[in-house]
Amino acid sequence: MTTTAATVSDIITAGYDAMTRAEKQLANSLLDNYPVSGLGSITTVAEAARVSTPTVVRMVQKLGFKGFTEFQSRLHQELEETISNPITKHERMAPNAPGAHILNRFAEAVMANMRQSLGGLDPQDFDAAARLIGDRKRSVYLAGGRITGAIAEYFFTHLQVIRPGVARISSNASSWPHYVLNMSRGDVLILFDIRRYESQLEALARTAADHGAEIVLFTDQWGSPIVKHARHSFRLNIEAPSAWDSSVVTLFVVEALIEAIQGSHWEKTRERMAMLEGLFESTPLFRKPTAGK
């Protein structure tokens, strides 16, 4: 699941089948520690992949770049975008901010994000992810980062109503091995990781994947390093006229998944909902209607 704005890794992956053996060796080397692996000199990149410098030149031109300099410029641009902190992001945006009201500018950005994200989202992949998460034979675990943890919590709250066997992984990374210990092969780990990608989440993804877990990833248009461990990746546009990234499209896809999962198992979901409402009735959690009103 990709967006219309292709990254260098997207371009390499798309052209992989047409590459020679040496070019595939170079491609694998570049993707192994992407994008850092492509930021050295052309000689360093060639030596790391154990190919010749002419092979590097031929491959980047075959991918549509004028040369290695343009190829590397794109990598630098991506790296700058993915590591931008809120202050840098705001200062880069502010001098060029148009005069329209922030509500209009935000709405335009969100609608553009929605169009681009949906344009690159394969409905079959979406349906496959919904089936995977809805499979009651599998346990489901969720985790997010410093900001995206709130979306993981939101998704967890709904999934907990829809089906049994759902766990919200603690924000305390030192406890994560205990969750992985409880994962069986085929269980599902849902992760949220956007730019300024969190190394601890990548470590969790790698460990869980090695343990046999199936990973569903929500990330941005550039793609978290967790992509290489994920069975399904939702790469969604997050740009906004703000120091912060937008979570609107991510939340939209999460809510669409919630409906797809509960809709495909409605009778069982309805039964759980009815039981839950009965439990709520026995507690003072929600305000009850007053007689005669």
Side-chain angles (χ1 to χ4, degrees), residues 11-266:
I11 295 170
I12 292 173
T13 302
Y16 189 84
D17 289 342
M19 294 179 187
T20 64
R21 182 190 60 79
E23 289 168 350
K24 287 181 178 178
Q25 189 170 314
L26 172 59
N28 291 333
S29 175
L30 289 169
L31 293 174
D32 189 49
N33 190 27
Y34 180 87
V36 177
S37 50
L39 297 179
S41 68
I42 189 169
T43 303
T44 302
V45 171
E47 288 177 350
R50 298 183 180 179
V51 298
S52 66
T53 52
T55 297
V56 178
V57 174
R58 283 195 303 272
M59 192 191 84
V60 298
Q61 289 177 339
K62 183 181 288 187
L63 294 175
F65 298 97
K66 293 178 182 178
F68 186 73
T69 301
E70 184 183 39
F71 171 81
Q72 202 166 65
S73 177
R74 280 284 297 275
L75 286 178
H76 278 290
Q77 182 182 354
E78 281 185 32
L79 184 61
E80 181 182 352
E81 291 286 350
T82 58
I83 66 175
S84 293
N85 62 46
I87 296 174
T88 303
K89 187 172 181 288
H90 190 272
E91 290 180 349
R92 185 173 66 234
M93 168 206 72
N96 301 314
H101 193 279
I102 183 59
L103 285 171
N104 295 329
R105 286 190 280 126
F106 228 95
E108 289 174 4
V110 167
M111 288 188 287
N113 285 344
M114 187 72 75
R115 284 193 299 270
Q116 292 169 357
S117 298
L118 290 180
L121 198 157
D122 185 344
Q124 292 184 339
D125 286 341
F126 176 92
D127 293 343
R131 286 193 299 271
L132 185 70
I133 299 169
D135 185 351
R136 296 186 176 214
K137 295 178 182 178
R138 307 170 189 264
S139 294
V140 176
Y141 299 81
L142 298 95
R146 187 173 67 92
I147 301 297
T148 55
I151 307 177
E153 182 72 28
Y154 180 82
F155 200 1
F156 162 72
T157 301
H158 286 78
L159 285 178
Q160 203 176 28
V161 176
I162 295 170
R163 50 155 297 165
V166 183
R168 171 74 166 93
I169 293 179
S170 166
S171 59
N172 180 7
S174 65
S175 70
W176 290 358
H178 299 89
Y179 290 94
V180 176
L181 181 65
N182 288 330
M183 292 180 188
S184 299
R185 180 167 295 277
D187 284 351
V188 182
L189 174 60
I190 302 173
L191 294 175
F192 294 81
D193 192 31
I194 62 171
R195 71 167 134 200
R196 300 187 81 193
Y197 313 118
E198 300 189 29
S199 56
Q200 291 179 327
L201 281 176
E202 184 183 3
L204 172 61
R206 182 176 60 252
T207 305
D210 289 344
H211 204 72
E214 302 281 6
I215 295 173
V216 177
L217 171 67
F218 289 82
T219 185
D220 53 40
Q221 57 262 47
W222 302 285
S224 158
I226 296 172
V227 165
K228 60 179 175 285
H229 303 295
R231 177 169 173 181
H232 298 289
S233 296
F234 292 96
R235 289 177 52 181
L236 307 167
N237 290 59
I238 62 170
E239 287 280 22
S242 165
W244 305 97
D245 292 314
S246 172
S247 298
V248 172
V249 180
T250 304
L251 188 57
F252 166 82
V253 175
V254 164
E255 293 193 332
L257 273 172
I258 290 169
E259 172 53 32
I261 295 164
Q262 72 178 13
S264 62
H265 306 292
W266 176 241

